[in-house]
Amino acid sequence: MRQSPSPSPEQLLAMLEAVIKEAPPLRYEVPLTEGDLRWLGRAEALIEASGAIVALGQFRAARSNLGSYMHSVSDVLAPLHNAYCRVELAAPQALRGAFIPAGETWNGYAALVKLIQKECDDLLLVDPYLSADFFIDLAPHCSARGGVRCLATQRKEYHPALSAAASKWSADPISSDKAIAVRYASSGSLHDRLIIIDRKEAWLITQSFKDVARRSPASVSRAEPEVGRLKAEHYDALWEHSDPIR
């Protein structure tokens, strides 16, 4: 049987982020479900793939202790975080992102600001749940020389405030230096949260901008160059066929 190729550091980062985010409760004296067992198996395989030998031993010990008097969910999760840090250090500098634990909203905000402050000619933000908070929290930090494009989905709970904020921004003198356009894509067409820089460099955000790390862990990671190019082309085309906010 031919051996499957090893995942790249970026792929490992994404998979480790996902498995940490999807961690089951693993409650004491509650039998493990089939889903719990699959998660434990996937987590162990990813730690092993990371090469974190010490973390692998710690994870296996913690897994064996589940249901006993030494039961500890934190002992199960800690090796995963250790493996994540190991893989992140091995990733190319340009591909390193950020993992933001639940509740660390400031770090989540800082990670987004760091990206939108990068000098560039074009900035496209994709978020199906874009709200008026964007104009307060993030818009003032955008540095794209050619302006910022925001692609969202119209939602009745966000539209009135978002439309008003977009109109006020456009009417303010600040818009002469920081032009921002918002368009609504057709319902169901947006599946990513992205920051795309100069139509080629795509950064994947696991949560909507307004919710990053608020209730659950989040991550910000750069897509591989070819994936980034394809996403940029896809959302550029979608932008052209989307309607300006009114």
Side-chain angles (χ1 to χ4, degrees):
M1 182 181 293
R2 188 172 64 180
Q3 188 174 8
S4 300
S6 300
S8 67
E10 185 187 21
Q11 290 171 324
L12 262 180
L13 280 176
M15 289 187 285
L16 283 164
E17 288 166 3
V19 82
I20 292 171
K21 181 179 179 181
E22 296 164 3
L26 301 175
R27 295 185 179 90
Y28 180 60
E29 292 188 336
V30 175
L32 295 174
T33 66
E34 185 177 342
D36 294 338
L37 293 172
R38 281 199 300 269
W39 181 87
L40 287 165
R42 188 164 70 253
E44 182 172 332
L46 289 173
I47 295 174
E48 186 171 11
S50 76
I53 304 303
V54 174
L56 180 61
Q58 293 170 338
F59 180 86
R60 286 173 172 168
R63 178 177 181 173
S64 297
N65 289 333
L66 291 175
S68 73
Y69 73 96
M70 296 179 67
H71 180 106
S72 172
V73 177
S74 61
D75 285 353
V76 171
L77 294 177
L80 280 166
H81 287 280
N82 291 341
Y84 179 91
C85 293
R86 177 187 175 92
V87 174
E88 186 177 38
L89 288 174
Q93 182 67 38
L95 296 181
R96 294 183 193 175
F99 177 79
I100 306 119
E104 294 192 9
T105 53
W106 172 255
N107 288 336
Y109 171 72
L112 296 181
V113 168
K114 181 179 178 181
L115 286 177
I116 64 176
Q117 282 183 328
K118 294 181 71 171
E119 289 192 11
C120 60
D121 292 315
D122 181 79
L123 190 64
L124 174 60
L125 308 181
V126 179
D127 184 353
Y129 293 89
L130 191 72
S131 72
D133 292 344
F134 166 77
F135 283 93
I136 299 171
D137 298 334
L138 296 174
H141 300 286
C142 293
S143 299
R145 288 180 287 269
V148 179
R149 299 177 292 153
C150 298
L151 193 58
T153 299
Q154 182 169 345
R155 299 182 181 278
K156 61 182 181 181
E157 65 268 37
Y158 299 133
H159 172 69
L162 179 59
S163 178
S167 296
K168 288 182 178 179
W169 184 275
S170 296
D172 193 278
I174 194 174
S175 65
S176 61
D177 294 323
K178 296 179 182 289
I180 296 177
V182 180
R183 291 188 182 183
Y184 282 144
S186 58
S187 179
S189 62
L190 299 186
H191 304 288
D192 294 307
R193 284 90 168 168
L194 295 168
I195 295 176
I196 301 176
I197 301 170
D198 283 338
R199 292 181 164 86
K200 59 183 179 181
E201 182 181 318
W203 289 81
L204 290 74
I205 321 298
T206 57
Q207 296 172 2
S208 292
F209 302 150
K210 63 182 178 58
D211 295 324
V212 170
R214 183 167 295 174
R215 296 186 180 87
S216 60
S219 66
V220 178
S221 58
R222 183 177 174 180
E224 292 181 350
E226 180 62 15
V227 174
R229 183 185 65 79
L230 291 173
K231 285 190 177 292
E233 289 179 356
H234 171 75
Y235 285 106
D236 263 342
L238 198 56
W239 171 266
E240 295 300 326
H241 294 89
S242 297
D243 299 321
I245 191 172
R246 291 183 175 84

